[in-house]
Amino acid sequence: MHITQLNRECLLHLFSFLDKNSRKSLAKTCHTLQEVFQDPLLWSLLNFHSPAELKKDNFLLGPALKYLSICWYSERVKVCNIEDWMKNNFQKDFCNRHENTVSGFLLEVCNRCPNLLSLTLSGCGHVTDDCISVLLKSCPNLKTLKLENCVRITDQTLEAVTLYGRSLETLHVDFCRNITQSGLERVREKRPSVMLRAERSANMIPDNKPEKK
């Protein structure tokens, strides 16, 4: 039996075992497999391991997306977590190349994936409070939000959680050095049902901008 003689359910099941690149390669072999690749049911979960992966045309964003993870553990992520005024020209050039990559991608998620249930961001140094606020408004069913080592996340995100995270059940803000203890206390007070974890965040040294002369 040729693979294309399998029914749609079997083909979707087979595709589910492949990574994004393998799915894309297989889809190029014939029209039938291309249609399977474009089936929204295949894309309920997406995992990315670097900002560069977000630019590849090997996945589909749509209402079926429920679980999204963007985790960057490369040594280069440390460059993005350096305060802007401390970066040399080489470091600034490196960061400028992908500064808006993750944020721009998340805005696409806001527009196309209203049924998102879980979002994990780790090492995403350019993601801002405003971006997370928009996402919380656009994805009202979000139940899990995990942020780790996201240097630009502040108490503004915690405030957005209390205002817009109506369905949120789990919130992690680990190693986010600009989160404060008072911000965490407000979340516990206003949203006591949320399982809140903030490993090291409120105990880290926050960024302090240099004084203007």
Side-chain angles (χ1 to χ4, degrees), residues 146-195:
K146 296 181 179 181
L147 306 173
E148 179 186 42
N149 197 19
C150 295
V151 66
R152 295 192 181 183
I153 295 301
T154 71
D155 287 356
Q156 185 179 329
T157 286
L158 300 182
E159 185 64 25
V161 165
T162 65
L163 295 174
Y164 314 118
R166 294 181 293 274
S167 301
L168 208 63
E169 299 174 354
T170 300
L171 173 64
H172 292 180
V173 281
D174 298 332
F175 298 92
C176 297
R177 65 174 180 257
N178 290 302
I179 293 292
T180 69
Q181 189 63 46
S182 59
L184 295 172
E185 290 299 329
R186 282 195 294 272
V187 173
R188 292 189 178 100
E189 178 185 350
K190 296 181 179 180
R191 296 295 308 278
S193 61
V194 173
M195 294 181 59

Side-chain angles (χ1 to χ4, degrees), residues 26-175:
L26 183 58
K28 292 180 179 179
T29 60
C30 73
H31 181 70
T32 299
L33 296 180
Q34 178 67 28
E35 289 183 346
V36 176
F37 176 83
Q38 294 174 344
D39 193 318
L41 294 177
L42 187 62
W43 304 102
S44 62
L45 182 150
L46 282 173
N47 293 315
F48 299 95
H49 304 289
S50 77
E53 292 185 17
L54 303 178
K55 297 181 179 181
K56 293 183 177 180
D57 185 26
N58 61 357
F59 61 89
L60 184 71
L61 281 182
L65 182 63
K66 301 293 181 62
Y67 307 95
L68 173 62
S69 173
I70 306 172
C71 298
W72 194 22
Y73 296 117
S74 167
E75 285 294 318
R76 291 176 294 176
V77 75
K78 295 179 180 179
V79 175
C80 299
N81 285 330
I82 299 174
E83 291 85 345
D84 288 340
W85 59 88
M86 293 181 64
K87 294 174 183 173
N88 57 39
N89 290 334
F90 174 79
Q91 292 169 330
K92 289 179 179 178
D93 179 65
F94 172 80
C95 290
N96 288 338
R97 277 180 282 168
H98 64 263
E99 181 167 3
N100 298 319
T101 300
V102 178
S103 295
F105 178 81
L106 289 178
L107 291 178
E108 288 293 318
V109 171
C110 292
N111 294 329
R112 302 184 188 183
C113 313
N115 300 314
L116 191 68
L117 298 178
S118 175
L119 173 65
T120 299
L121 300 176
S122 180
C124 300
H126 296 300
V127 172
T128 64
D129 295 314
D130 291 339
C131 184
I132 299 299
S133 295
V134 172
L135 188 134
L136 287 168
K137 294 176 185 177
S138 304
C139 304
N141 299 319
L142 192 70
K143 296 182 180 298
T144 300
L145 177 61
K146 296 181 179 181
L147 306 173
E148 179 186 42
N149 197 19
C150 295
V151 66
R152 295 192 181 183
I153 295 301
T154 71
D155 287 356
Q156 185 179 329
T157 286
L158 300 182
E159 185 64 25
V161 165
T162 65
L163 295 174
Y164 314 118
R166 294 181 293 274
S167 301
L168 208 63
E169 299 174 354
T170 300
L171 173 64
H172 292 180
V173 281
D174 298 332
F175 298 92

Side-chain angles (χ1 to χ4, degrees), residues 3-22:
I3 187 173
T4 56
Q5 293 179 286
L6 296 172
N7 62 35
R8 188 60 165 256
E9 185 178 355
C10 289
L11 289 174
L12 284 170
H13 185 65
L14 288 174
F15 265 80
S16 69
F17 289 99
L18 304 177
D19 60 30
K20 295 187 291 295
N21 285 333
S22 298

